[in-house]
Amino acid sequence: MSLRSPFIIFVVMKNERLIFVTNDDGYSSKGFQAAIEVARRFGNVVAVAPERAQSGMSQAITIYNPLYVNTIRAEEGLEIYSLSGTPVDCVKMAFDYMLRDRKVDLVISGINHGSNSAVNVLYSGTMGAAIEGSFYDCPSVGLSLTSHDADADFTAAVYYGTQVVESVLAADMPLPLCLNVNVPVGTVDEIKGVRVCRQTRGCWREEFYCRRDPHNRDYFWLTGDFHNSEPDAEDTDEWALNHGYVSVVPVQVDLTDYAQMERLKKLM
Amino acid sequence: MSLRSPFIIFVVMKNERLIFVTNDDGYSSKGFQAAIEVARRFGNVVAVAPERAQSGMSQAITIYNPLYVNTIRAEEGLEIYSLSGTPVDCVKMAFDYMLRDRKVDLVISGINHGSNSAVNVLYSGTMGAAIEGSFYDCPSVGLSLTSHDADADFTAAVYYGTQVVESVLAADMPLPLCLNVNVPVGTVDEIKGVRVCRQTRGCWREEFYCRRDPHNRDYFWLTGDFHNSEPDAEDTDEWALNHGYVSVVPVQVDLTDYAQMERLKKLM
């Protein structure tokens, strides 16, 4: 038995563009409001975001638990829901249930509090949701600001996020299209512009802090540093961000390593 | 303060190969024992696996919670630990804490109960851990059996997993090297052999089951079907598995979509 969705009351009645918004910091984050501000410039908005922070959740899905939805706000042109799951759960819930009879024109995921450049694209819940969004026949844009501050200033991120979305919608690019957009800290004027980049090579090396809890058990807490393998490569997203540019990396989902594939064919 | 690891008592004293094993179904799963069986054929084994099932956890990391380690077994040549985190946490805990002064020769993640072919590579905790393992300068192999049965027969998966690992170690292939190996259900003789493949194009479309809980709240449960966009493509992993072959897909972590990058450069 699959019940009719009780959601989506106003938006379905209008004939404008429909933008879906999600994030990984949760529906109450400042960056989520900033993403909605970008989206509202392009059409009606349905937003489904995690009820709690889900940073580092990658493309995780909830298999072992049921999901609960709450209506946060429902007015003409803007409906916001929270979901007790991961960012990818939010995308699936929206496209395969709430909006399953509707054409969605664009996905925006973010605006993340913190950079998702380089290999962070693999761990990021924001980018996990953006990638998932690109599976539903519309362009998908992940937006991040390189500040973890809960009260960060999103003015420039909204400005450049709007610019990127406008270009994408105007160009009618071939699908699938998923963009990883990172905006450095700074004012609109301080930022030098937008650079299309490739993903920087590098990885994280962690430091585990060990403490003893009140029950006398050792616990460990993950922390670490990103090691950039190519700090001088001017075509990378890390270079762009470190030099005051907005980075735009198009993201694909075919993980096949074709060079290794040829070597393996000879081997096996 | 970072305390010295109290772990790894026996293994550090020997001079054989060191194999790290993890999975996403948890340390008590039958497939995990099967992966250890494969690993023991090649050297000493340190295994760190989630204390609870973590299917669908992708490359998620634990940011908001501390992690606890338990020793499950410690004997000469084989040490098994459980961790209260994700599969990727297990890899990081092993390489950046427990084994940080040791050279690891190989990572094995699995053997997963269920296929990780096609786009499942993106959602899979098994493959999230395998990808993470490939960041630590050794070959990394994710092994999966196309059966979700908790009591599945892993004989053929152990046989072919051993064969693939043997080839990889003997060939001394360039790094990074991460393999997504899927084994169909069947006996060793029924399976037709090993095929090196590319990742099948396709995606999941979900069905949300809605029920009412004892507190009269609606809940949703994720379920769905994989849609194969190219069922007849003989060079894909889905085709191989559906025709009785073991599939081997080399996995990369550069998600840059270079074709879209060129289009975007003209646009922006």
Side-chain angles (χ1 to χ4, degrees), chain A residues 55-56 58 61 63-64 67-68 92 96 123 132 135 174 199 205-206 213 220 250 252-253 255-257 260, chain B residues 56 58 61 64 67-68 92 96 123 132 135 174 199 205-206 213 220-221 250 252-253 255-257 260:
Chain A
S55 292
S58 188
I61 52 174
I63 294 175
Y64 305 113
L67 301 170
Y68 290 89
K92 288 179 178 290
D96 288 330
Y123 305 107
E132 188 67 28
F135 293 164
Q199 179 187 321
R205 286 297 177 257
E206 313 299 335
D213 77 8
F220 300 87
Q252 60 158 354
V253 296
L255 301 196
T256 312
D257 184 334
Q260 292 285 34
Chain B
S58 188
I61 52 175
Y64 304 114
L67 301 170
Y68 289 90
K92 288 178 177 290
D96 288 331
Y123 305 108
E132 188 67 28
F135 293 164
Q199 178 187 322
R205 286 296 177 257
E206 313 300 334
D213 76 9
F220 301 87
W221 215 304
Q252 61 158 356
V253 296
L255 301 195
T256 312
D257 184 334
Q260 291 285 35

Side-chain angles (χ1 to χ4, degrees), chain A residues 114-137:
Chain A
S115 170
N116 281 319
S117 60
V119 77
N120 296 323
V121 67
L122 298 173
Y123 305 107
S124 161
T126 300
M127 286 311 302
I131 290 170
E132 188 67 28
S134 75
F135 293 164
Y136 289 91
D137 302 323

Side-chain angles (χ1 to χ4, degrees), chain A residues 19-157:
Chain A
I19 318 294
F20 172 70
V21 178
T22 189
N23 81 341
D24 76 355
D25 292 313
Y27 74 91
S28 61
S29 71
K30 191 173 175 186
F32 187 58
Q33 294 308 318
I36 289 173
E37 189 184 332
V38 174
R40 286 293 282 135
R41 296 177 180 180
F42 298 98
N44 293 314
V45 173
V46 171
V48 184
E51 68 184 25
R52 280 177 299 187
Q54 299 276 325
S55 292
M57 281 304 275
S58 188
Q59 213 164 333
I61 52 174
T62 302
I63 294 175
Y64 305 113
N65 290 298
L67 301 170
Y68 290 89
V69 183
N70 276 308
T71 304
I72 304 298
R73 187 168 163 179
E75 60 193 53
E76 206 169 326
L78 175 60
E79 302 189 20
I80 304 177
Y81 304 91
S82 71
L83 184 74
S84 63
T86 68
V88 168
D89 292 335
C90 293
V91 177
K92 288 179 178 290
M93 184 77 198
F95 279 88
D96 288 330
Y97 187 77
M98 293 174 163
L99 297 167
R100 67 187 162 204
D101 304 321
R102 293 274 297 170
K103 186 192 173 311
V104 177
D105 297 284
L106 179 80
V107 171
I108 298 178
S109 180
I111 297 176
N112 193 59
H113 293 244
S115 170
N116 281 319
S117 60
V119 77
N120 296 323
V121 67
L122 298 173
Y123 305 107
S124 161
T126 300
M127 286 311 302
I131 290 170
E132 188 67 28
S134 75
F135 293 164
Y136 289 91
D137 302 323
C138 64
S140 187
V141 179
L143 298 175
S144 305
L145 176 67
T146 63
S147 164
H148 285 95
D149 190 347
D151 195 37
D153 181 357
F154 282 91
T155 310

Side-chain angles (χ1 to χ4, degrees), chain B residues 11-31:
Chain B
V11 168
V12 290
M13 292 185 274
K14 301 190 85 179
N15 207 16
E16 288 175 36
R17 269 207 198 101
L18 178 55
I19 318 292
F20 172 70
V21 178
T22 189
N23 81 341
D24 76 353
D25 291 314
Y27 74 92
S28 61
S29 72
K30 190 173 176 185

Side-chain angles (χ1 to χ4, degrees), chain A residues 204-211 219-225, chain B residues 1-7 48 61-63 65-69 83-100 132 136:
Chain A
W204 285 79
R205 286 297 177 257
E206 313 299 335
E207 185 124 351
F208 281 90
Y209 285 92
C210 178
R211 297 280 189 283
Y219 66 84
F220 300 87
W221 215 302
L222 188 68
T223 170
D225 292 305
Chain B
M1 178 189 65
S2 169
L3 300 181
R4 269 299 310 157
S5 167
F7 308 106
V48 184
I61 52 175
T62 302
I63 294 176
N65 291 298
L67 301 170
Y68 289 90
V69 182
L83 184 74
S84 63
T86 67
V88 168
D89 293 335
C90 293
V91 178
K92 288 178 177 290
M93 185 77 197
F95 280 88
D96 288 331
Y97 188 78
M98 293 174 163
L99 298 167
R100 67 187 162 202
E132 188 67 28
Y136 289 91

